Amino acid sequence: MTERRLSAREVVALVADDFTELPSAPRESEPDGPLAWQGYDASRARAAERTGEEESVVWGRAGVGTSAAVLIAFEFGFLGGSLGERTGDRLEAAYTYAREHRLPVVSLVATGGSRMQEGMRALTQLQRVARQSALTREAGLPQIAVLRDPTTGGGWATLGAGADIVLALPGAQIGFAGSRVRPPDADPAAYTAESQVAVGAADGVVHPGHLRETLALWLTLLTAPSTTPAPPPRALSSSTTLPTTGWEAVARARSPQRARADAYLDAYFTRRAAVSGDRVGGTDPGMLCGFGEHEGRTVAYAAQRGTATRPAGYRTAARLIRLADRLGIPVLTLVDTPGAANDATAERQGAGAAIADLFATITTARTPITTLLIGEGGSGGALALAAPDNTWATPDSYFSVIAPELAAAILKRPEGQVRTTADELRVRPQDLVELGVVRGVVRGAAATHPS
């Protein structure tokens, strides 16, 4: 790290407009802790004198922007921000307070892991923290983690990686293995904030100067439930007429001039914040996911960008929709893909399981989901992102069980019959309405049924 490591109080002041520290019940402990580790009490006393803190965690109620939250800040200067029994007491108290007062939890993490001077009694605090996090998740309250330098060991594997939204400071050392316990030939670049974002374990890197406004936006977006479905976006189409043939519908959807997901999201949301990654090692730039503000309320979004969707894209969308469902936030999905990626790498990455999981997530979600077909709707790879009873289409789109070219090849038809095959598949937006697959066609100003 090139920047000085901030103390717990400094990072709290960096993000909070106001902060009220709250007490935790004091714990009586044996001299030198549960292991009678020689010199442990003296080490804690020196850490307290050096940092001004009584433990490795400070917590309380804070105002961040217009939102109230429970703030947990680790003091790395206190025995490396390690988790001991007293740390567990404080973390449990923080989560309990959050549930009692219906507040989101923001953890500002900087820790080397469990405190070895307390042995297994320290390690079992991870189970305690994991349970509190799970209870808070079940209560429908969002959890945001900000990973500082370093975030390693059990702190990363519970408070960090277990959060709904994971942000990291630039260059922060992040990983389950700390710097002194990794294999000697380990690539240090793999244990950085930037690397964790690249492999889908974290949502983004945020500069300290932007952290307060970023957290304020996230807290605003994640604490605004609604039972009203998101309205479908208006069509960003230069044409007001519907295609006359199936092949014309395909050609329009494949046109490079057609508006893509980025344009639709920019037009629909006044501001938005992105989530990234499937949390199991992958990202897909062809799937945009996040939360945005539309006409004063929060809507989650998952949008395909016209490329073959990879397994990580489906898993990221499923993660996004499950989070929105738990928080009671409506979802908008934009369908635009020639189909699921079908190369050998995609198969090895579990394409079938990823698509199956997204199908199940959408069809069982309690929060309302709205879908707009904005381009190509290629088979199950597109249908997996579509709401079963609330899907709309634009004039520049088509949906098909299979691409017309592939259908003709399977039927052993000559190339000249591809266009006829497209007609037979009934892929036009108006065909989809007649077949009951979509509710209507969205025009430039409103959603209508075709005449």
Side-chain angles (χ1 to χ4, degrees):
M1 288 284 290
T2 57
E3 296 186 14
R4 183 178 65 85
R5 183 179 286 142
L6 298 179
S7 70
R9 303 284 173 175
E10 288 173 328
V11 77
V12 166
L14 183 68
V15 303
D17 298 305
D18 59 78
F19 177 71
T20 302
E21 185 175 359
L22 295 172
S24 303
R27 171 188 288 260
E28 295 295 328
S29 60
E30 307 91 329
D32 282 333
L35 305 186
W37 186 286
Q38 187 174 359
Y40 179 37
D41 284 347
S43 295
R44 285 194 295 198
R46 287 194 298 271
E49 183 178 2
R50 182 172 58 251
T51 64
E53 306 297 348
E54 297 177 353
E55 248 304 329
S56 59
V57 159
V58 174
W59 77 277
R61 182 174 180 135
V64 183
T66 59
S67 301
V70 167
L71 211 59
I72 298 169
F74 278 71
E75 175 52 70
F76 190 78
F78 193 104
L79 301 181
S82 56
L83 280 75
E85 288 185 298
R86 291 178 179 176
T87 320
D89 293 342
R90 292 187 172 210
L91 294 173
E92 183 173 71
Y95 275 107
T96 301
Y97 183 93
R99 292 194 299 275
E100 289 174 348
H101 294 83
R102 302 296 302 167
L103 293 174
V105 177
V106 176
S107 299
L108 308 169
V109 189
T111 174
S114 301
R115 193 169 298 170
M116 62 182 180
Q117 296 94 328
E118 295 185 22
M120 282 301 299
R121 292 266 287 272
L123 192 65
T124 58
Q125 300 310 302
L126 302 182
Q127 297 172 320
R128 190 178 181 189
V129 173
R131 180 175 185 274
Q132 291 302 315
S133 177
L135 291 173
T136 304
R137 189 178 301 115
E138 290 175 4
L141 298 170
Q143 299 172 64
I144 302 173
V146 177
L147 312 181
R148 298 150 57 208
D149 182 59
T151 298
T152 61
W156 164 229
T158 52
L159 288 153
D164 300 314
I165 304 300
V166 181
L167 307 175
L169 298 186
Q173 177 189 173
I174 299 168
F176 188 64
S179 60
R180 297 183 183 181
V181 296
R182 297 171 193 155
D185 59 346
D187 179 7
Y191 302 86
T192 63
E194 290 76 10
S195 178
Q196 296 293 356
V197 172
V199 300
D203 293 295
V205 173
V206 182
H207 188 275
H210 300 147
L211 192 54
R212 180 182 294 210
E213 62 185 273
T214 300
L215 285 176
L217 174 58
W218 271 116
L219 290 170
T220 298
L221 292 174
L222 296 181
T223 55
S226 172
T227 57
T228 305
R234 64 181 182 86
L236 301 180
S237 174
S238 58
S239 175
T240 59
T241 61
L242 293 172
T244 57
T245 68
W247 187 249
E248 182 187 348
V250 173
R252 281 197 195 183
R254 294 177 179 174
S255 170
Q257 283 72 47
R258 174 182 56 79
R260 306 287 164 152
D262 300 74
Y264 274 92
L265 295 176
D266 287 344
Y268 193 78
F269 293 111
T270 53
R271 54 181 181 163
R272 53 192 169 102
V275 305
S276 176
D278 61 5
R279 295 298 187 262
V280 291
T283 60
D284 180 3
M287 179 76 79
L288 299 175
C289 294
F291 294 82
E293 186 178 76
H294 175 73
E295 296 182 348
R297 67 191 186 103
T298 301
V299 174
Y301 63 86
Q304 292 167 321
R305 304 177 80 186
T307 58
T309 304
R310 307 207 62 82
Y314 292 115
R315 285 191 286 262
T316 304
R319 176 172 79 89
L320 178 280
I321 294 167
R322 283 194 291 267
L323 176 57
D325 192 41
R326 179 158 50 82
L327 300 180
I329 294 171
V331 177
L332 170 70
T333 67
L334 301 180
V335 171
D336 183 12
T337 180
N342 57 8
D343 53 77
T345 299
E347 293 298 340
R348 294 189 186 101
Q349 292 173 346
I355 294 170
D357 183 47
L358 182 55
F359 266 122
T361 300
I362 285 186
T363 56
T364 59
R366 296 160 298 177
T367 198
I369 300 177
T370 303
T371 298
L372 180 62
L373 175 65
I374 64 171
E376 290 195 82
S379 195
L383 187 65
L385 196 61
D389 55 1
N390 194 24
T391 292
W392 303 78
T394 68
D396 293 337
S397 66
Y398 81 90
F399 227 139
S400 181
V401 64
I402 190 172
E405 298 93 334
L406 297 179
I410 290 172
L411 296 171
K412 298 182 179 180
R413 292 179 175 179
E415 185 177 342
Q417 292 188 22
V418 169
R419 298 189 176 202
T420 302
T421 303
D423 289 334
E424 292 175 334
L425 287 170
R426 298 195 66 190
V427 301
R428 301 175 304 167
Q430 60 267 45
D431 295 327
L432 301 174
V433 174
E434 293 176 8
L435 292 169
V437 176
V438 304
R439 292 182 59 180
V441 178
V442 171
R443 311 284 183 151
T448 63
H449 288 273
S451 55

